[in-house]
Amino acid sequence: MGRGTAGRSPGVEGYWRSAEITPPSALRAATSPFVLRKNGEGPRAIDTRRIAPPHSSAERFMRVAIFNGAGKPITIEDLADDPLGLSDLRVEIDRCGICGSDVSMTSGSPFDYACGMKLGHEIAGTVIETGRNVTRCKVGDTVSIFPTGFCGQCDMCLGGRPLFCPNGRVQFGGFGERMVVTESSAFPFPTSVTMAEGALDNSPAHVAVSV
């Protein structure tokens, strides 16, 4: 999925940063076309021709793909950035892979994602902000992101199954512009690895970490 560079600034009407958003082909085949929607309003056509003024320093907005239920359009919505915790990283997303679950769990099965959920969990990006307690990662690091912000201390984590951590938070939203994730769930990779490779290595790396 191509990514935009900014969302809508608060209180500004009719301006969008020039960007090209292309829905992943596999998801496009399984669902209705993507549309752009501002919170509280109906579907709107994507306009890539206008340029937005800079964001307010008090609040930033981003665009992200939202699941609205099987058979319904996946929408590109304008949401406020998540707050940054003391042990969190803010990551600018560069690549996000399409997992088999992105298709199977949006098709009307009993295991579908919840309506309103952000999509995308095979993610590679660049750290652009760190919480004050972060020690392992720094701004500028390229990272692959685990889809669960695991605690590292519970029985599941200590048993090598961090994906099932009962204290962890779901970290979806790779089909968007930015994410806030726990430092423990981010795995830096060298510049010799491309962002596409970093996203593709996401699941195998997590399996390796768990074994």
Side-chain angles (χ1 to χ4, degrees), residues 78-96:
D78 180 29
L79 303 179
D81 277 26
D82 292 327
L84 187 74
L86 294 177
S87 299
D88 289 343
L89 311 173
R90 193 179 309 279
V91 176
E92 183 178 58
I93 299 162
D94 193 284
R95 294 288 188 274
C96 185

Side-chain angles (χ1 to χ4, degrees), residues 101-178:
S101 62
D102 290 324
V103 176
S104 64
M105 296 179 72
T106 57
S107 59
S109 77
F111 304 101
D112 271 10
Y113 298 141
C115 290
M117 190 170 183
K118 298 175 185 177
L119 291 174
H121 60 272
E122 295 189 348
I123 305 157
T126 303
V127 177
I128 59 173
E129 188 178 359
T130 62
R132 72 176 61 174
N133 291 345
V134 168
T135 58
R136 186 171 54 85
C137 296
K138 64 183 184 300
V139 171
D141 282 352
T142 52
V143 293
S144 177
I145 299 167
F146 197 83
T148 300
F150 53 90
C151 72
Q153 300 178 7
C154 67
D155 289 342
M156 284 294 182
C157 287
L158 295 176
R161 305 183 70 189
L163 186 62
F164 301 99
C165 173
N167 306 313
R169 69 190 192 210
V170 175
Q171 298 186 152
F172 280 32
F175 297 147
E177 296 178 290
R178 291 176 295 278

Side-chain angles (χ1 to χ4, degrees), residues 63-80:
R63 284 177 285 185
V64 62
I66 300 293
F67 176 62
N68 296 297
K72 297 181 181 179
I74 292 173
T75 50
I76 304 296
E77 302 207 12
D78 180 29
L79 303 179

